[in-house]
Amino acid sequence: MPTRAAQLFSRPLDLGGLTIPNRIVMAPMTRFDSPDGVPSDDLAAYYARRAANGVGLVITESVYVDHPSAGQLDNGSRMYGDAALAGWSRAVRAVHAEGGLVFAQLQHIGMVRKAGDPPHPEAPAVGPSGVPMDGAVDPSGLPVDDNPRRGRAMTQDDIDDVVRAFAEGAATAARLGFDGVELHGAHGYLIDQFFWSRSNRRTDAYGGGTGSRARFAAEVVAEVVAAVRGAVPAGFPVVVRLSQWKSNDFDARSFDTPEDLGVVLDKLADAGADAFHASTRRYWQPAFAGSDLNLAGWTKKLSGKPAITVGSVGLDNDFWNSLTGEAVATTGIDGLLDRLESDEFDLVAIGRPLIADPEWAAKMLTGRKNEITAFTAAALGSVH
Ligand code: FNR
């Protein structure tokens, strides 16, 4: 007799014309194992190991698109350059050899970048309004003169260049054999900087009301969809990751009300987004007052599109605290299963538990929950 977890997780799902064999997704997680932007063979094997052990869909760590201001790390992976693309091709083949599916997460960090950061030290940080995105952000949201992360507001040419870079990145991913893409529109990175009124102070068509602040994301989605349609047959989903919280402000809200969220989702769905990945630090927290629905729940309800939930599944402390070394204990997932059973959301992304135990999904799917290796911060230290 399969366990309740096995029953609920093992159901397939149609995601934008692609069948995901079960409901367990590997959350995108940067592992700093891509020297000069080239994903290592260890990283390819690490993704393949999760695919071989039951993960229905692997979403890669964030991968920089081909724009000089997109990133900030030498060992963060890139979706450009022959060596990096050959590396990703090896990773895709390794996942497919295990029968798995893999999406690339495409990333531009915007004003999280500091001038002088690698991999292109000469490039300035750019964002909707040049508002710094670090712990010392001025409460007014305006640039602080002596802030080392100060950059500049994007011109229309900058916007067009970055939209093109996302579209090229997606087409490249499609040609390399990835099964879909996720656009990183969460956590205070570039796309999210446009959503958030504090980082988006523009008075042109990309700023102002909620709908205008979603214009940049909608342009990215539309161009990405057009680019992948030109590269591969249908059935290559485009997912958008969203969050309220920012790396530099956990209490931030890009979407003050369900109506605001609905306006944004409508624009992105109209542009061609197939599904949404609603990133929360703790999945059990309600997104808006007056309802128990979490952000993925609201996203599914408002958009009618499949939604991925994420955030401390099976853990009692969030990932950001884990990164700073705080203790975290394993918990039950009955509450998550209740929500999955009621179709509040469709897919469940798992982050840290899958770093700690490559067999997390297989063990859940075969009633061997008790054999799962618990996550500890030490697991973050290596890619295995
Ligand atoms: C992350 N997370 C993350 N998110 C994202 O959209 N792109 C990324 O590249 C990363 N990188 C990253 C690295 C590491 C080491 C961790 C632990 C997390 C966030 C991640 O996708 C997920 O939302 C959180 O980890 C919450 O899920 P868990 O860990 O609570 O299951």
Side-chain angles (χ1 to χ4, degrees):
M1 179 72 181
T3 61
R4 184 166 175 245
Q7 266 173 353
L8 291 169
F9 280 137
S10 64
R11 298 166 301 154
L13 180 84
D14 178 83
L15 190 81
L18 179 72
T19 302
I20 312 294
N22 65 51
R23 306 302 179 99
I24 301 176
V25 173
M26 181 172 180
M29 288 180 287
T30 298
R31 299 311 313 276
F32 314 108
D33 201 27
S34 301
D36 295 325
V38 182
S40 71
D41 288 342
D42 283 349
L43 196 64
Y46 150 93
Y47 286 126
R49 201 167 293 125
R50 273 74 185 164
N53 285 288
V55 168
L57 169 63
V58 172
I59 303 178
T60 70
E61 62 199 85
S62 64
V63 186
Y64 302 146
V65 297
D66 187 6
H67 183 266
S69 305
Q72 64 179 163
L73 297 169
D74 268 330
N75 58 5
S77 70
R78 304 177 200 163
M79 195 53 81
Y80 59 92
D82 291 346
L85 299 188
W88 278 122
S89 178
R90 284 193 292 276
V92 169
R93 282 202 305 274
V95 171
H96 286 171
E98 300 295 350
L101 295 172
V102 56
F103 288 12
Q105 190 192 52
L106 299 178
Q107 164 73 316
H108 191 301
I109 69 170
M111 292 299 301
V112 173
R113 180 179 164 76
K114 176 160 65 63
D117 274 350
H120 302 289
E122 74 291 352
V126 296
S129 306
V131 174
M133 295 290 288
D134 65 8
V137 67
D138 183 318
S140 71
L142 295 172
V144 180
D145 273 347
D146 60 357
N147 193 304
R149 287 175 191 258
R150 187 171 181 196
R152 61 174 172 77
M154 291 167 81
T155 62
Q156 185 65 51
D157 282 350
D158 290 328
I159 288 176
D160 295 344
D161 285 348
V162 173
V163 168
R164 206 174 308 119
F166 271 102
E168 280 169 10
T172 300
R175 280 193 286 267
L176 288 179
F178 278 99
D179 301 288
V181 287
E182 175 171 284
L183 308 177
H184 197 338
H187 306 174
Y189 294 109
L190 181 65
I191 292 175
D192 194 23
Q193 288 161 30
F194 273 88
F195 290 139
W196 193 28
S197 57
R198 214 162 106 189
S199 43
N200 183 345
R201 299 289 165 134
R202 298 178 78 98
T203 53
D204 63 3
Y206 295 92
T210 311
S212 308
R213 295 199 307 272
R215 179 185 173 121
F216 174 72
E219 285 185 6
V220 171
V221 171
E223 290 301 315
V224 160
V225 168
V228 299
R229 293 292 170 267
V232 289
F236 183 95
V238 174
V239 178
V240 182
R241 197 172 215 212
L242 304 166
S243 69
Q244 296 277 29
W245 66 272
K246 321 296 165 213
S247 312
N248 65 330
D249 186 347
F250 289 159
D251 298 322
R253 295 173 79 78
S254 291
F255 322 107
D256 285 332
T257 62
E259 290 70 31
D260 285 341
L261 179 61
V263 166
V264 173
L265 296 172
D266 279 353
K267 280 187 93 86
L268 301 183
D270 286 350
D274 293 297
F276 297 102
H277 187 171
S279 171
T280 50
R281 293 164 58 227
R282 302 177 180 90
Y283 75 84
W284 56 88
Q285 291 180 336
F288 298 105
S291 162
D292 286 338
L293 290 182
N294 73 11
L295 190 65
W298 274 105
T299 297
K300 178 172 175 172
K301 178 183 156 113
L302 292 167
S303 69
K305 299 278 183 191
I308 309 172
T309 197
V310 68
S312 302
V313 172
L315 298 174
D316 74 347
N317 203 344
D318 87 308
F319 88 98
W320 206 263
N321 290 333
S322 286
L323 297 178
T324 59
E326 276 189 27
V328 53
T330 301
T331 64
I333 60 165
D334 286 346
L336 176 92
L337 296 178
D338 291 344
R339 289 168 187 259
L340 187 59
E341 188 165 25
S342 69
D343 287 329
E344 179 175 336
F345 38 70
D346 302 286
L347 293 162
V348 179
I350 305 295
R352 291 163 294 163
L354 270 169
I355 288 183
D357 190 343
E359 299 177 15
W360 191 95
K363 289 173 182 172
M364 272 296 171
L365 291 166
T366 55
R368 294 183 291 135
K369 187 158 65 89
N370 295 340
E371 295 173 26
I372 287 174
T373 305
F375 171 81
T376 63
L380 295 169
S382 68
V383 171
H384 59 274

